[in-house]
Amino acid sequence: MGDILARITARYGFAGPIVQAYELPALLVGMAITLVIAIGLTTGIVDCNAAQLAGIFFDIAVIWVGGAAIAIFGMTRLGHFARLAAVFILLLVSTAWASDVLALVSLPYADAMFATADARLFGGFDWPTMAAAVRPHTNALTVLSYAYASLDWQPILLLTMLCWFHEYKFAWCFLVAWAIALAFCLMVFPFLPAVGGYVHFNIHPEAMPGVEVMSAWKYPVLLEKLHSGVFRTLNYGSLNGIIAMPSFHAASAVLLAWGYGGVKWLRWPFLALNIVMLVSAVPIGGHYLVDIVAGVAVACLSILLANVWAGKPAYRAAFAAGR
């Protein structure tokens, strides 16, 4: 077997460890977040649908291993994309389930504090007045809804485009920033959980006819079930974002605008889209303004840390060697 592997690696120019230096930071963050889930399960804080959890993590492993194998055979573009996608899905899934675990041990809701902070820091801003002001503008709210929902597809498209144009170094740097931002948001969440402006001020979906995305009303339902201990099972149904502070939508808007800056032909259209997505986080996502400020700050810090890491000799050497 050793001789066979040696011939394969020599034939296809593979060298170095299976897990490359540029993969480690995002992969380690994903594993650390997964550890929160493991602690929740072993301590009895939560239980789970074992088949569903094992199935998802097995699929992630298969995608990653497939990407590593493909890279050995010289299909660099597809190999990078498969591993990037695997780590991205790991971060997505682990953060959602880890936030469920943390919701069960989180502090009381901080909505009243956030509403007060908005009023004091932003010239008397208050949610009911904002909702009443934007309610008649149904077309604008619909556009904002589509921008808000673009978070569902923007990251994978970006990773696809970066791999297509062989921007592997920047693709991994982007994923590290994404991972750091998720970790920051997850760490803050149990100390400052919130149901958001719509639910806190008892503004129902019927009162906002232009809003096409219902997440601002749906996530507090799961959050309340977890927060009160009524729901304790990790499964497909609990794979929802319940973190409000900092706003990951705001953080992702900054991260994606930065990321698409690395794709020449998509730079300006996606800058515009992500500015709109940033704006949409309040009237569509139900976030407080302080959530948005915190999310932007998290994104900027994450980009800074990712760029510092990308300047490390091990990272540069991995790509200098053609890996």
PDB file of all heavy atoms in Angstrom, residues 6 43 68 214 280:
ATOM      1  N   ALA A   6       2.978   6.011  -2.701  1.00  0.00           N
ATOM      2  CA  ALA A   6       4.176   6.747  -3.119  1.00  0.00           C
ATOM      3  C   ALA A   6       4.150   7.012  -4.616  1.00  0.00           C
ATOM      4  O   ALA A   6       4.504   8.104  -5.075  1.00  0.00           O
ATOM      5  CB  ALA A   6       5.426   5.954  -2.726  1.00  0.00           C
ATOM      6  N   THR A  43     -23.047  15.844  29.055  1.00  0.00           N
ATOM      7  CA  THR A  43     -23.504  16.327  30.369  1.00  0.00           C
ATOM      8  C   THR A  43     -25.009  16.242  30.535  1.00  0.00           C
ATOM      9  O   THR A  43     -25.535  16.527  31.615  1.00  0.00           O
ATOM     10  CB  THR A  43     -23.064  17.782  30.588  1.00  0.00           C
ATOM     11  OG1 THR A  43     -23.581  18.608  29.529  1.00  0.00           O
ATOM     12  CG2 THR A  43     -21.546  17.901  30.637  1.00  0.00           C
ATOM     13  N   ALA A  68      -9.852  15.953  -0.567  1.00  0.00           N
ATOM     14  CA  ALA A  68      -8.428  15.667  -0.386  1.00  0.00           C
ATOM     15  C   ALA A  68      -7.946  14.643  -1.412  1.00  0.00           C
ATOM     16  O   ALA A  68      -6.852  14.771  -1.972  1.00  0.00           O
ATOM     17  CB  ALA A  68      -8.182  15.158   1.036  1.00  0.00           C
ATOM     18  N   MET A 214     -39.741  35.198   7.098  1.00  0.00           N
ATOM     19  CA  MET A 214     -40.377  35.122   8.409  1.00  0.00           C
ATOM     20  C   MET A 214     -39.414  34.772   9.538  1.00  0.00           C
ATOM     21  O   MET A 214     -39.845  34.500  10.662  1.00  0.00           O
ATOM     22  CB  MET A 214     -41.505  34.082   8.364  1.00  0.00           C
ATOM     23  CG  MET A 214     -42.657  34.449   7.446  1.00  0.00           C
ATOM     24  SD  MET A 214     -43.601  35.888   8.031  1.00  0.00           S
ATOM     25  CE  MET A 214     -43.029  37.156   6.870  1.00  0.00           C
ATOM     26  N   SER A 280     -31.035  45.555   5.566  1.00  0.00           N
ATOM     27  CA  SER A 280     -32.210  44.703   5.767  1.00  0.00           C
ATOM     28  C   SER A 280     -32.229  44.011   7.123  1.00  0.00           C
ATOM     29  O   SER A 280     -33.277  43.529   7.561  1.00  0.00           O
ATOM     30  CB  SER A 280     -32.265  43.631   4.671  1.00  0.00           C
ATOM     31  OG  SER A 280     -31.307  42.616   4.891  1.00  0.00           O
TER      32      SER A 280
END
